[in-house]
Amino acid sequence: MQPLDPQVHYGITDRDFLDVHDVQMDLLPDKLHQLRWKLNQKAKKEPKFRFYALYDRVYRMDVLEAAWKHVGKKGKAPGIDGVRAEDILAEENGVGKFLTALHEELKSKNYHPSPVKRVYIPKADGSKRPLGIPTLKDRVAQMAVVLILEPIFEADFLDCSHGFRPGRKAHDALEEIRANLKAGRTAVYDADLKSYFDTIPHDKLMATVRMRVVDRGVLGLIRGWLRAPIIECDESGKPQPPRKSEGKGTPQGGVI
């Protein structure tokens, strides 16, 4: 097997582990479809425009319901509070109560992210890498923000960009490489940022987000998820004291 072979397995990704994938258009109501289209068109037509009124879209019930459909799946690892989708689905009108409570928290700005649970998942070389699992409530809130922000930032990506974009995957990038090699372009530059997700500076990341979004409510949510403490369990399963982010790094495993 060659590195460009589509069947090469590069290990379990955080999205595969939590079964979080691209936005599924068939799960979005028409009103949300239209909102995302308008946001994307505005971003395309005005590359310098900074969006300032988005927070009230995030906590709309139709947005939260669509977010639940994407991340409220059975059989997935729970966050630090131990709550699974099965627990909510087992209650009478459990999903409705869960989303209404989250809606009220976000609307009143009483929502606060919970600590992130640290686990380890296998890599292709047999080693393991850390993964942070937010609570189910935090994952729904994050997905709601993704539904609103994704069409804005998608407008700024170049066509040659493939990483973490809807409808694109690593093997699409490999196809582009293969096509370029066949066309006679044989100079390949390979670069990697060591431990990037563990060291990304929060201030620079937020400054980049502010180039497109200046809504204080949305920025506050993102900042809160970045700063959420990380809790790791010892060998016996006992939770250890929370560890702060110290202004850098983002726990891979969240939706956003």
Side-chain angles (χ1 to χ4, degrees):
M1 236 177 229
Q2 299 300 316
L4 294 185
D5 193 313
Q7 297 183 18
V8 172
H9 180 56
Y10 294 98
I12 300 174
T13 67
D14 52 352
R15 288 178 162 245
D16 288 335
F17 185 81
L18 292 172
D19 197 19
V20 174
H21 299 289
D22 295 342
V23 172
Q24 300 175 50
M25 297 304 172
D26 59 324
L27 297 180
L28 306 184
D30 290 341
K31 191 175 180 181
L32 181 52
H33 264 299
Q34 294 170 7
L35 173 60
R36 284 168 53 87
W37 181 83
K38 289 178 180 178
L39 292 172
N40 181 257
Q41 292 302 301
K42 178 72 172 179
K44 284 182 176 179
K45 292 177 180 177
E46 300 184 41
K48 300 294 184 181
F49 184 80
R50 299 200 293 174
F51 292 78
Y52 56 86
L54 298 172
Y55 187 76
D56 61 333
R57 271 79 164 177
V58 170
Y59 63 74
R60 272 177 23 182
M61 282 303 295
D62 62 331
V63 175
L64 294 177
E65 288 166 359
W68 168 267
K69 290 177 181 178
H70 280 82
V71 302
K73 301 174 182 178
K74 295 181 179 180
K76 297 305 160 187
I80 199 66
D81 61 357
V83 176
R84 300 174 181 266
E86 291 91 330
D87 302 324
I88 296 171
L89 291 167
E91 296 181 25
E92 184 177 356
N93 193 30
V95 175
K97 293 177 182 176
F98 174 83
L99 295 181
T100 298
L102 177 56
H103 166 81
E104 292 299 330
E105 283 188 31
L106 290 168
K107 184 178 180 180
S108 62
K109 296 193 175 180
N110 287 320
Y111 166 83
H112 300 288
S114 298
V116 175
K117 184 172 74 173
R118 171 63 55 83
V119 299
Y120 292 87
I121 61 174
K123 296 175 65 175
D125 60 5
S127 62
K128 294 185 178 182
R129 69 180 181 86
L131 181 70
I133 303 181
T135 63
L136 181 56
K137 181 171 74 172
D138 288 340
R139 294 206 295 271
V140 173
Q142 290 176 7
M143 190 68 215
V145 170
V146 167
L147 289 171
I148 301 303
L149 295 190
E150 182 181 81
I152 295 172
F153 287 100
E154 264 299 298
D156 294 336
F157 280 107
L158 298 176
D159 192 54
C160 60
S161 177
H162 288 81
F164 300 98
R165 293 185 63 191
R168 300 195 179 206
K169 53 186 182 298
H171 289 302
D172 294 330
L174 295 180
E175 286 298 329
E176 290 288 335
I177 295 173
R178 185 179 290 106
N180 277 279
L181 290 174
K182 288 182 178 179
R185 302 182 184 93
T186 56
V188 178
Y189 296 89
D190 182 20
D192 186 24
L193 298 174
K194 184 179 179 181
S195 301
Y196 178 69
F197 287 102
D198 296 328
T199 59
I200 183 171
H202 293 176
D203 57 344
K204 291 182 173 59
L205 176 60
M206 293 305 299
T208 303
V209 175
R210 286 196 299 271
M211 292 175 69
R212 269 305 199 175
V213 176
V214 291
D215 184 302
R216 291 185 178 182
V218 172
L219 294 175
L221 289 175
I222 297 173
R223 193 178 293 111
W225 293 323
L226 286 172
R227 294 175 176 174
I230 297 174
I231 294 181
E232 194 165 345
C233 296
D234 59 20
E235 294 181 356
S236 66
K238 181 180 179 181
Q240 300 301 295
R243 179 170 60 82
K244 295 183 179 180
S245 62
E246 299 180 351
K248 65 178 181 179
T250 175
Q252 299 180 67
V255 180
I256 195 166

